[in-house]
Amino acid sequence: MNRACILVFSLVLMLPIVALAQHSADAPAPSPGAVPVEAKQFDFLLGQWELQVHPKVSSLVAMIHGAPKLAGTWKAWRVLDGLGIEDEIRIVDGSGNPISLTRALRIYAKTDARWKVSGVDAYRARFSEASGQLQGGEMRFEGHSTDAEGKPEITRTRYYDISADSFHMQQDRSADNGQTWEEGVLTIDAKRTAASATP
């Protein structure tokens, strides 16, 4: 398996794939049906999407092997009485061979005024977590995970150019605790194929 595919495996795992906000003992439980308005900020993701996936490759790798042609699907549906969104991303190579399968849970933590994401890379049994918020029409997240070699990484991810039928996602990563960043390590172009999805 080439280095670009391994990079995609580790980056997809780190997509903001949201952790459940822990409920403190002194915080009252929300009343049934009391979904905060912010819990609708990720509604653009609901439905089914066709993906074009672009991992960043070095010019030497691209000269030798060419840029990898990766595609995929992303589907998302509402869960937890409307308080959260669960989603699944499947990425395949140009021949249709599975590269990555990631499942995530996203929930808006009203007490933190942030989205929490928890995800699992099913093929590698690796977990990631991230948190973020809506800023200037973009969803922006910071996350923690491990790379393909088990080393800790920090990611920052943004969803931008969001419309009813498309969005883009870019992920940057840092292997030195945020001192330096490699930008655009993974980009995804998403086009809607259906307005709703089920697990």
Side-chain angles (χ1 to χ4, degrees):
M1 181 176 296
N2 69 32
R3 184 167 169 77
C5 288
I6 291 171
L7 176 64
V8 168
F9 294 153
S10 63
L11 292 175
V12 167
L13 171 65
M14 294 178 281
L15 288 173
I17 313 176
V18 192
L20 287 173
Q22 291 189 347
H23 198 53
S24 68
D26 58 342
S31 61
V35 177
V37 68
E38 295 89 351
K40 299 205 177 283
Q41 291 172 340
F42 247 120
D43 280 4
F44 73 88
L45 190 58
L46 296 172
Q48 298 179 53
W49 302 86
E50 178 180 279
L51 309 176
Q52 293 299 315
V53 182
H54 311 283
K56 185 176 186 179
V57 293
S58 73
S59 57
L60 178 60
V61 170
M63 285 189 328
I64 295 171
H65 302 289
K69 297 192 185 309
L70 304 177
T73 60
W74 198 335
K75 61 182 186 173
W77 54 95
R78 195 163 291 293
V79 294
L80 303 172
D81 292 338
L83 294 168
I85 292 175
E86 190 170 356
D87 61 273
E88 177 183 283
I89 302 169
R90 291 179 181 266
I91 297 177
V92 297
D93 66 16
S95 300
N97 298 309
I99 298 293
S100 179
L101 170 59
T102 303
R103 182 68 72 102
L105 180 61
R106 305 167 188 271
I107 192 161
Y108 185 77
K110 191 173 181 179
T111 55
D112 298 333
R114 295 180 70 78
W115 281 87
K116 306 284 183 161
V117 180
S118 177
V120 61
D121 175 341
Y123 295 157
R124 288 159 205 79
R126 291 191 333 209
F127 295 85
S128 65
E129 60 182 49
S131 69
Q133 59 193 127
L134 183 65
Q135 296 177 356
E138 298 182 352
M139 295 298 283
R140 294 179 171 259
F141 285 82
E142 301 82 38
H144 297 273
S145 187
T146 56
D147 66 13
E149 297 159 1
K151 297 177 184 172
E153 286 188 324
I154 298 175
T155 59
R156 59 185 183 199
T157 305
R158 69 184 185 109
Y159 299 79
Y160 61 99
D161 291 342
I162 300 166
S163 74
D165 295 319
S166 66
F167 68 88
H168 301 282
M169 190 215 76
Q170 176 180 317
Q171 190 169 80
D172 308 328
R173 77 169 177 188
S174 173
D176 59 9
N177 204 30
Q179 293 179 26
T180 61
W181 290 90
E182 185 175 359
E183 295 186 354
V185 175
L186 179 69
T187 59
I188 293 178
D189 302 319
K191 292 189 179 183
R192 184 178 298 283
T193 59
S196 62
T198 56

